[in-house]
Amino acid sequence: NMLSFALRDQGYTVVAVGNGQDALAQARAARFDAAICDIMMPDLDGVEVLKTLKKEQPSIEVIMATGYATPKTAMASMKLGAFNSIAKPYELKDLLAVLEKAVARSRGEG
């Protein structure tokens, strides 16, 4: 998708998945610095993916993306360990700024 291409152009290694179960399978197969996770996904919602990722890989930083952003959903995600949340539609530059900080934190640089 367009986001994957844009992130690759910025030098990131990207693994794109279509649902929550695939996200968890990929995360169990390799180490990732960060994940961008939509709250609404087929088969397993983003909140469940967030909880499982943080339990299994505490150093991964998860950015929650949602078209239904409210202060309540953002705070709920943060309490569960999300690095940040971003409302869709978002500007690529805004996502890149958050992603850069998340990766640095995951690597112990921030």
Side-chain angles (χ1 to χ4, degrees), residues 2-51:
M2 292 301 292
L3 180 58
S4 294
F5 290 119
L7 293 176
R8 285 184 183 108
D9 283 349
Q10 296 294 318
Y12 290 99
T13 300
V14 177
V15 175
V17 297
N19 62 58
Q21 293 291 350
D22 288 349
L24 294 177
Q26 288 293 328
R28 289 173 179 137
R31 188 198 175 282
F32 292 91
D33 292 318
I36 301 168
C37 186
D38 201 310
I39 286 182
M40 302 296 288
M41 291 189 295
D43 83 22
L44 192 63
D45 72 41
V47 173
E48 289 303 315
V49 173
L50 167 64
K51 284 186 209 175

Side-chain angles (χ1 to χ4, degrees), residues 15-96:
V15 175
V17 297
N19 62 58
Q21 293 291 350
D22 288 349
L24 294 177
Q26 288 293 328
R28 289 173 179 137
R31 188 198 175 282
F32 292 91
D33 292 318
I36 301 168
C37 186
D38 201 310
I39 286 182
M40 302 296 288
M41 291 189 295
D43 83 22
L44 192 63
D45 72 41
V47 173
E48 289 303 315
V49 173
L50 167 64
K51 284 186 209 175
T52 304
L53 284 175
K54 291 304 286 183
K55 184 168 66 173
E56 294 181 6
Q57 280 191 43
S59 67
I60 194 170
E61 296 299 347
V62 182
I63 300 164
M64 301 300 288
T66 181
Y68 308 98
T70 66
K72 186 177 178 180
T73 58
M75 283 304 293
S77 295
M78 302 295 271
K79 285 181 181 177
L80 293 171
F83 177 77
N84 207 333
S85 62
I86 190 162
K88 296 189 307 186
Y90 47 77
E91 294 289 327
L92 180 61
K93 65 179 177 50
D94 296 332
L95 177 63
L96 288 171

